[in-house]
Amino acid sequence: MAADSARITRAAPEPERGALIVATAGGTAAEVALPKAADAAALTREAAALVGESVLESPAEGALRAWLARPVADRAAAGVLRAARHALRAAALGVDEAVALSGGWAAVPPALATEAAPAADPVAACLDPAATLVVADAATGGPEGLRDLAALARVMDVRLAIRPLRDDAAEAARATTLAAALGAAVAVPPDASAALPAPALLPEAGPALSLREVRIHRIALPLRELYVSSMYLTDRQARTLVELRCADGTVGWGEAHGGPEVFARVAALARDWIGRDLLRERVALRRRFARIVFENRNGRNGLSALAALELGAWDAAARHLGLSLGALLGDPREDGSVAIACALPAAVPGAKVTRSELMAHMADGANAERVAELAAAYAARWGVSAFKYKSAGTGADWDLAALGALRARLGPAARLRCDPNAAYGTEEARRFCLAAEPLGLEYHEDPTDGLEGMARLAAQIQTPLATNMCVVAPEHLAAAVRRGLRITVLSDVFLWGGVAGLCEMVRAARLLGLTTPAIHSFYETAVVTAANAHLALALGLDDPHPMDCGWPGVAEDIVPPDALRIEGGRLFRPAGPGIGVVPEPDRLAALATAEPVVIR
């Protein structure tokens, strides 16, 4: 859609009809009901402010927090304007509101008889330990605000029910559509006898984006340096790439870890995806994988496999609509960059070594300077000033020597973080973290294991904590808050089961008051690296912490070296539809470790 035709040119309350009309320069229009509580002056003011804005802009996260920050008297007006804008965005994209909001239906919503009115503060209602139900409507921060609320309600195990803005068929259908998209119920009067109306979906002759074929590629990425950590000692990184080919010619790309267990799960899931609509069934396919946490019988490997297919579906859907992944998430900016933090090995022995040979290398503390030399080389080449040091967990003396060398070489402005992958016991971690305080680290990532251990440690040190090991499921968010643990959740598409799962985590974490999440990354191809840039910018995860990025440490990839631009320590979001990059067949074949598996 051209930028000019996407501009909103009309936003007009019509009180006599009880409606709000919005339209774009391109002639697209939408209408929503005016809630009785909407203040006339606030409506006029909010409507005037809407004119001239892009209809494609939509908050991927934060709509509910922004709505709650408004004066109470203005909330109904602000919420209904947000609802109208969302309806207009869906119409402009040529999809129904469920697809525009979350990627289609999660489930056919049930009717829930209740007299409860929409909660004045739905976040407080969710956090009430006695609550089992929270009622909201489309004016509760707009549909995007409801999406934020749905994420929190799932974390807190509270049932969300959406009440129509008024008692008529059109608004009942809209409420049903929103509930279908969010896995919520529809709130109806206790004396209601009629069945729920069908969701307001656009008529289609058949699947808009039918998946015809899945190709699963197994590759190994050579690394510039031996990767040394408490968990790994390797000079290459195995990856699983999925290529989703649709009937209309659209191709989407996704990625997962490269182990045989993940590959097997990708293949098993892919068979069930053939023939499904990647535009309208993204949410349903995710729910089909596991309706609740217990239904995921394959743990992290299952989530990683789902993430590969789900990312590919989002890429395909965005390409089908002619949008970037960021724009599909609600951020239509064509430019944008995110600060990155490069991974550093625990040691730089200069050749492939065994664990015993590594220990001999690390017995000489002077060798820690080599880690600083590598960081200086990255800083010179890419302008990077943030680094994640991957501890081998062999002892505090080496880690302190390496971190000290990094600080001395890079200076006080460099951001340094340390990740032992929970290699230290709680007491050892306490001693190490206290000894490292003078080095001014940005944060310690998983110095010890488990929520309880991290909470005990946080109470005794000054440097903040971050994790991608002890908060890796929705229920962990609530547990962290109950324990009083202020922690940065490091999010990646693999641990959270794809784009939608990562987005839900961010929404819930921020509503719970946890520290702003950040993007976690490893040594990955340009597929996930590009997707991470879109996600970081759309979700506002580009601040305060630079995004993990292992791509500078990859010696060869499936795209040319200039496919991703890193300058001044920032990764620039690639332009173009979808994630903005496409693997080259020759490069993909050169890195392959097996023939592709084709599923039709």
Side-chain angles (χ1 to χ4, degrees), residues 15 66 193 286 366 424:
S193 57
R286 181 167 171 254
Y424 291 123

Side-chain angles (χ1 to χ4, degrees), residues 289-569:
F289 167 79
R291 178 182 56 86
I292 57 176
V293 173
F294 189 77
E295 285 187 349
N296 172 20
R297 295 171 175 83
N298 299 99
R300 289 190 293 132
N301 289 333
L303 289 171
S304 182
L306 173 65
L309 291 164
E310 201 247 19
L311 173 57
W314 277 83
D315 184 34
R319 293 178 190 275
H320 176 78
L321 295 173
L323 302 173
S324 68
L325 175 61
L328 184 57
L329 290 167
D331 178 13
R333 294 174 295 173
E334 295 182 358
D335 56 1
S337 64
V338 56
I340 62 170
C342 286
L344 294 173
V348 185
K352 191 171 183 179
V353 296
T354 64
R355 279 285 175 184
S356 60
E357 291 169 332
L358 176 67
M359 293 303 294
H361 171 84
M362 297 174 73
D364 183 355
N367 285 331
E369 181 63 31
R370 294 189 184 183
V371 180
E373 292 171 357
L374 178 61
Y378 278 19
R381 180 169 180 177
W382 287 289
V384 177
S385 60
F387 296 91
K388 176 192 285 192
Y389 165 74
K390 295 291 296 186
S391 164
T394 56
D397 289 345
W398 174 271
D399 285 343
L400 291 170
L403 289 166
L406 286 165
R407 179 58 74 206
R409 176 66 68 97
L410 301 172
R415 295 193 184 197
L416 301 177
R417 51 188 76 160
C418 178
D419 178 14
N421 288 115
Y424 291 123
T426 310
E427 174 59 14
E428 291 86 345
R430 183 188 70 84
R431 297 183 185 191
F432 165 66
C433 291
L434 288 174
E437 292 285 7
L439 296 172
L441 301 191
E442 182 182 14
Y443 57 66
H444 288 284
E445 179 180 341
D446 294 305
T448 194
D449 189 31
L451 269 175
E452 188 61 30
M454 292 283 275
R456 291 172 184 269
L457 180 60
Q460 300 190 55
I461 65 174
Q462 296 298 314
T463 303
L465 295 178
T467 183
N468 81 313
M469 296 179 70
C470 73
V471 180
V472 293
E475 63 270 22
H476 297 164
L477 296 170
V481 171
R482 284 195 297 269
R483 189 58 176 82
L485 180 57
R486 294 276 299 172
I487 194 167
T488 296
V489 180
L490 301 175
S491 52
D492 65 40
V493 292
F494 311 116
L495 283 175
W496 295 93
V499 171
L502 186 149
C503 290
E504 283 198 0
M505 182 281 290
V506 172
R507 292 165 189 147
R510 281 181 165 155
L511 288 172
L512 285 166
L514 289 169
T515 304
T516 298
I519 293 287
H520 175 267
S521 181
F522 197 45
Y523 293 111
E524 296 141 354
T525 77
V527 168
V528 163
T529 304
N532 283 345
H534 285 283
L535 286 161
L537 290 166
L539 292 165
L541 303 184
D542 52 334
D543 186 66
H545 300 296
M547 180 184 89
D548 279 354
C549 184
W551 199 70
V554 174
E556 294 180 43
D557 196 12
I558 54 176
V559 297
D562 60 355
L564 294 179
R565 176 185 165 202
I566 298 177
E567 292 180 9

Side-chain angles (χ1 to χ4, degrees), residues 9-20:
T9 55
R10 183 188 179 202
E14 297 187 1
E16 67 281 359
R17 292 182 54 226
L20 174 67

Side-chain angles (χ1 to χ4, degrees), residues 16-86:
E16 67 281 359
R17 292 182 54 226
L20 174 67
I21 311 297
V22 287
T24 68
T28 306
E31 175 180 326
V32 297
L34 286 175
K36 294 179 181 179
D39 177 78
L43 269 174
T44 301
R45 184 173 62 252
E46 296 283 343
L50 202 60
V51 174
E53 295 193 9
S54 171
V55 71
L56 296 179
E57 293 179 8
S58 173
E61 184 279 329
L64 184 57
R65 290 186 295 124
W67 182 77
L68 287 170
R70 288 177 172 270
V72 174
D74 291 353
R75 288 180 185 172
V80 75
L81 260 295
R82 187 72 257 173
R85 184 170 180 166
H86 182 268

